[in-house]
Amino acid sequence: MRLVIAECQVDYVGRLTAHLPMARRLLLIKNDGSVSVHADDRAYKPLNWMSPPCWLVEHPAPPESDASALWVVTNKAGEELRILLGQIHHDSFHELGVDPGLIKDGVEAHLQELLAEHVGTLGPGYTLIRREYMTAIGPVDLLCRDAAGRTVAVEIKRRGEIDGVEQLTRYLELLNRDTTLAPVAGVYAAQLIKPQARTLAEDRGIRCLVLDYDALRGTESTEFRLF
């Protein structure tokens, strides 16, 4: 991973356009090719980013800009993230090694197991393709087919918050590039889904499913609430 703290101006050129004026920001360049631009006041969410596969090429800065370099990050759709670098305050490389991935707690792991066994909870006619379907950015909890034969990716949490929606969004973006699976829909399943997470999920076309852990274990009613 490369970490750069620099004065920079960022312009996204693609289906839409977005502009960030010159300011001091953190730039992350990861081994998977992704590039993200961060401020100091937005928790984990970047100001702008380019997801892999994408390619970074460094160019000389335009003479009139008084900048040190111009980075052009291009994805396979031809969209560009153009980063004009001014003064660079920090530039370092770090080898993080292979990440073991997120290890779910006991309840989440058991929920995944139970939902795989009772996949009809997701809806009539659902069938399981496989648990822990591996992608380049981590495993999808459940990959299923609905009654119409469409692929559905399911992310399972004990407590559904915004970060889980973001995680499922990244999986869907990647899976939908696979022509043998696309189109892939998403289901966000949790024992409790926070209102902000539900709003974000529904805005992105992701269905939310509230799970009753005891009911899945067969100790109570098997009725589930679908939202």
Side-chain angles (χ1 to χ4, degrees):
M1 178 184 291
R2 183 180 179 187
L3 306 178
V4 177
I5 298 174
E7 309 295 327
C8 63
Q9 172 185 300
V10 183
D11 290 278
Y12 169 78
V13 181
R15 291 165 292 179
L16 303 172
T17 58
H19 173 75
L20 294 171
M22 188 69 73
R24 186 176 302 184
R25 300 184 178 95
L26 168 65
L27 308 173
L28 296 183
I29 303 94
K30 296 184 180 180
N31 283 339
D32 63 3
S34 63
V35 178
S36 55
V37 182
H38 296 261
D40 201 21
D41 63 346
R42 294 171 183 262
Y44 61 88
K45 188 172 179 63
L47 296 166
N48 214 327
W49 67 94
M50 191 68 80
S51 300
C54 59
W55 301 269
L56 188 158
V57 178
E58 186 168 332
H59 301 274
E64 68 278 7
S65 68
D66 196 30
S68 59
L70 173 65
W71 291 358
V72 179
V73 187
T74 309
N75 65 15
K76 67 177 184 179
E79 299 165 323
E80 291 184 347
L81 198 63
R82 303 176 66 87
I83 304 173
L84 189 64
L85 294 173
Q87 183 180 2
I88 296 175
H89 304 282
H90 175 87
D91 189 350
S92 63
F93 290 85
H94 305 271
E95 181 57 55
L96 302 185
V98 178
D99 192 273
L102 178 68
I103 299 175
K104 292 182 174 290
D105 66 26
V107 173
E108 287 186 5
H110 198 204
L111 279 171
Q112 183 192 111
E113 179 183 347
L114 289 170
L115 199 53
E117 292 175 0
H118 305 286
V119 71
T121 300
L122 297 169
Y126 269 73
T127 57
L128 178 68
I129 297 174
R130 68 170 299 170
R131 287 176 59 190
E132 299 285 336
Y133 183 88
M134 187 55 64
T135 75
I137 56 174
V140 177
D141 287 336
L142 301 181
L143 195 67
C144 304
R145 291 200 191 280
D146 66 13
R150 293 168 295 199
T151 311
V152 181
V154 183
E155 180 62 27
I156 301 168
K157 299 291 184 186
R158 182 171 58 85
R159 183 182 179 91
E161 303 196 55
I162 284 178
D163 57 350
V165 179
E166 295 286 4
Q167 182 181 356
L168 179 54
T169 299
R170 292 192 293 271
Y171 288 145
L172 291 172
E173 182 180 337
L174 190 63
L175 291 169
N176 273 300
R177 295 175 188 164
D178 186 338
T179 56
T180 64
L181 297 175
V184 183
V187 173
Y188 192 40
Q191 289 180 277
L192 171 69
I193 299 178
K194 299 291 287 291
Q196 302 93 328
R198 183 187 301 281
T199 298
L200 180 61
E202 292 174 349
D203 183 65
R204 295 180 177 180
I206 295 170
R207 181 164 64 98
C208 292
L209 171 64
V210 176
L211 299 174
D212 186 320
Y213 184 47
D214 290 329
L216 266 178
R217 292 190 299 171
T219 59
E220 294 183 0
S221 168
T222 56
E223 181 180 352
F224 285 82
R225 292 172 289 156
L226 293 176
F227 298 86

